[in-house]
């Protein structure tokens, strides 16, 4: 693994949800008619910057809504939460209230972060309302199908609602937790190798430390770790191969350094192979859904011809496989990635 910084297109366009993708989402229970849209939340009168406890700008704002609109917004957001968490059963929000609505000015989807609180015990949860972006939705679907993680989201025309993914942000974990003496360093390194492998197979880009979280689970004899993506804005858009390999981002250097210290070439290859075997198992289990997603995404325009051509050249060189040169779309590249895994695991 290496430490090189990678340039990302900060102005990636937002791609609309096509009728074919809408039909796919309906088929797999991802579509829902929502009482509040992203555009409704955008209709605030003014906002104020939100600072962290050290007085640093968080890049989030606190929107201020008129008194006539705020009750309707809060009621609608509770219905959205019930749709997201309980298939619309409003009993789960009977004792809940909307505590905060926060707006992020950074990133492609400019999300709203909603904090909902149970007034009986003060337990709270978050969810996000974003402008729907087709490439992000494809990223969420591929995460559901090819990764060990489940994602929960709903789409209503131009509005995307996502469940909060809990975990310690990767940059915070690297700074404060990575070298805790009770943590098995090899287990953390192993998870980064697997995460790195998944991102390349799925063409999920820009996985810098602040775009993933580390989940910690105590087990009966040790502590387990899992690295999970939380940002899917850069799903198969970029042409630079390194964008899809977390090892090349300078923000991830602590993880790369840990891998070089804890893993040999043999164990590195072993963990790569383990992840490929896991992906193959998921492909077999979800082959019909994956085929449906492939058929829809192959008809969508989700990047530029130049980016596709650049990436297939990079993949052909990286894997020493000229079959990548025959790919016409980003979807074709992912499909070839999967086919190669099937061939390798069977050998």
């Amino acid at each position: 693994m290496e430490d090189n910084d990678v340039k990302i297109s900060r102005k990636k366009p937002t791609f609309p949800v096509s009728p074919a993708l809408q039909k796919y989402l309906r088929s797999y229970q991802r579509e829902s008619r929502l009482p509040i849209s992203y555009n409704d939340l955008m209709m605030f009168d003014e906002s104020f910057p939100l600072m962290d406890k050290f007085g640093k700008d968080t890049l989030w704002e606190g929107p201020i809504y008129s008194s006539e609109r705020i009750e309707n917004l809060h009621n609608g957001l509770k219905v959205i939460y019930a749709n997201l968490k309980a298939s619309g059963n409003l009993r789960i929000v009977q004792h809940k209230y909307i505590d905060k609505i926060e707006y992020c000015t950074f990133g492609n989807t400019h999300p709203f972060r909603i904090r909902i609180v149970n007034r009986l015990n003060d337990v709270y949860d978050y969810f996000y309302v974003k402008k729907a972006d087709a490439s992000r939705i494809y990223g969420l679907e591929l995460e559901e199908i090819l990764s060990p993680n489940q994602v929960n989201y709903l789409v209503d025309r131009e509005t995307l609602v996502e469940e909060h993914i809990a975990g310690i942000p990767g940059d915070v974990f690297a700074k404060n937790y990575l070298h805790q003496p009770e943590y098995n360093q090899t287990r953390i390194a192993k998870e980064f190798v697997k995460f790195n492998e998944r991102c390349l197979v799925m063409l999920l880009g820009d996985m810098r430390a602040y775009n993933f979280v580390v989940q910690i689970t105590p087990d009966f004899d040790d502590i387990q770790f899992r690295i999970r993506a939380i940002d899917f804005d850069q799903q198969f858009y970029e042409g630079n191969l390194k964008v899809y390999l977390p090892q090349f981002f300078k923000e991830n250097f602590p993880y790369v350094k840990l891998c070089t210290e804890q893993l040999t070439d043999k164990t590195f290859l072993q963990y790569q192979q383990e992840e490929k075997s896991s992906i193959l198992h998921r492909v077999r289990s979800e082959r019909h859904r994956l085929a449906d997603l492939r058929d829809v995404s192959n008809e969508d325009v989700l990047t530029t011809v130049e980016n596709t051509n650049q990436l297939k050249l990079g993949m052909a060189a990286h894997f020493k496989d000229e079959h990548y040169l025959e790919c016409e779309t980003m979807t074709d590249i992912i499909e070839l990635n999967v086919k190669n895994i099937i061939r390798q695991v069977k050998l």
Side-chain angles (χ1 to χ4, degrees):
M1 291 191 171
E2 301 175 43
D3 172 38
N4 280 326
D5 195 19
V6 184
K7 302 299 180 186
I8 301 287
S9 300
R10 300 317 312 171
K11 296 295 183 181
K12 182 188 93 59
T14 298
F15 295 98
V17 178
S18 66
L21 179 54
Q22 285 180 328
K23 183 179 178 182
Y24 170 91
L25 294 169
R26 194 176 308 121
S27 298
Y28 290 97
Q29 291 77 54
R30 296 297 197 181
E31 185 185 58
S32 177
R33 289 291 176 235
L34 305 174
I36 297 295
S37 71
Y38 178 86
N39 288 336
D40 290 330
L41 288 172
M42 284 296 296
M43 296 175 64
F44 50 86
D45 298 324
E46 56 183 315
S47 64
F48 56 92
L50 298 174
M51 305 295 179
D52 64 16
K53 61 183 179 181
F54 304 108
K56 183 180 178 182
D57 191 348
T58 62
L59 302 178
W60 288 81
E61 297 178 357
I64 300 173
Y65 298 94
S66 65
S67 55
E68 304 86 55
R69 299 191 68 247
I70 194 66
E71 183 178 357
N72 183 54
L73 283 177
H74 282 194
N75 289 337
L77 288 168
K78 288 197 291 184
V79 172
I80 288 177
Y81 184 79
N83 287 353
L84 185 67
K85 292 289 191 175
S87 301
N89 187 340
L90 295 177
R91 291 179 61 185
I92 74 159
V93 295
Q94 187 176 358
H95 301 292
K96 290 184 170 67
Y97 65 93
I98 301 300
D99 182 45
K100 292 180 182 178
I101 301 175
E102 298 170 332
Y103 173 62
C104 184
T105 57
F106 183 74
N108 291 315
T109 52
H110 298 295
F112 286 89
R113 180 171 61 199
I114 316 299
R115 175 167 147 144
I116 186 168
V117 181
N118 188 328
R119 59 168 48 90
L120 299 180
N121 53 21
D122 292 330
V123 172
Y124 60 86
D125 193 9
Y126 290 98
F127 64 99
Y128 299 85
V129 181
K130 305 177 180 181
K131 185 175 181 180
D133 176 13
S135 57
R136 183 180 182 91
I137 292 169
Y138 284 118
L140 289 164
E141 276 298 296
L142 286 168
E143 179 78 359
E144 172 77 19
I145 296 169
L146 295 179
S147 87
N149 310 308
Q150 288 186 310
V151 292
N152 189 11
Y153 73 94
L154 296 171
V155 180
D156 182 9
R157 290 159 289 187
E158 292 83 33
T159 301
L160 169 64
V161 178
E162 291 181 30
E163 185 178 57
H164 175 66
I165 299 173
I168 302 171
D171 52 343
V172 175
F173 185 88
K175 182 179 180 181
N176 300 327
Y177 299 90
L178 190 61
H179 298 291
Q180 291 275 9
E182 67 269 28
Y183 289 171
N184 186 323
Q185 306 289 296
T186 303
R187 285 187 180 273
I188 302 172
K190 170 184 175 180
E191 284 305 306
F192 188 76
V193 170
K194 291 189 168 191
F195 180 63
N196 197 71
E197 190 68 19
R198 282 201 303 276
C199 289
L200 182 59
V201 172
M202 296 162 47
L203 296 187
L204 177 59
D206 197 16
M207 281 300 106
R208 305 175 215 226
Y210 50 75
N211 285 332
F212 63 78
V213 296
V214 181
Q215 296 178 330
I216 305 171
T217 306
D219 204 352
F220 71 95
D221 65 344
D222 207 341
I223 297 174
Q224 305 288 343
F225 302 90
R226 178 173 292 178
I227 298 177
R228 287 195 61 176
I230 58 172
D231 191 326
F232 300 88
D233 283 349
Q234 291 288 347
Q235 178 63 45
F236 53 53
Y237 175 77
E238 299 285 345
N240 183 354
L241 170 71
K242 291 182 178 180
V243 168
Y244 306 106
L245 287 164
Q247 71 190 66
F248 285 112
F249 290 103
K250 65 180 181 180
E251 292 85 352
N252 298 340
F253 178 68
Y255 295 94
V256 175
K257 185 171 183 288
L258 186 71
C259 289
T260 59
E261 292 171 347
Q262 299 294 325
L263 305 179
T264 64
D265 289 345
K266 186 176 180 179
T267 53
F268 174 80
L269 292 172
Q270 176 192 332
Y271 296 145
Q272 273 190 321
Q273 191 64 26
E274 283 183 15
E275 188 58 30
K276 288 176 180 177
S277 298
S278 298
I279 290 172
L280 176 58
H281 175 75
R282 292 188 284 270
V283 167
R284 286 172 172 163
S285 299
E286 297 284 355
R287 60 188 181 280
H288 299 300
R289 184 172 183 168
L290 192 59
D292 288 345
L293 188 68
R294 175 204 63 201
D295 293 344
V296 174
S297 64
N298 245 338
E299 298 301 317
D300 263 345
V301 177
L302 299 165
T303 187
T304 65
V305 174
E306 292 77 15
N307 283 353
T308 303
N309 289 337
Q310 181 188 359
L311 184 60
K312 69 184 187 182
L313 286 169
M315 298 291 278
H318 180 76
F319 288 112
K320 298 179 175 58
D321 183 352
E322 292 191 355
H323 289 98
Y324 282 99
L325 303 178
E326 300 169 13
C327 295
E328 297 181 2
T329 66
M330 293 294 195
T331 303
D332 288 344
I333 295 174
I334 294 177
E335 186 172 20
L336 184 53
N337 285 344
V338 172
K339 286 179 178 178
N340 284 340
I341 287 174
I342 293 172
R343 293 189 196 103
Q344 292 168 19
V345 173
K346 282 183 175 180
L347 291 177

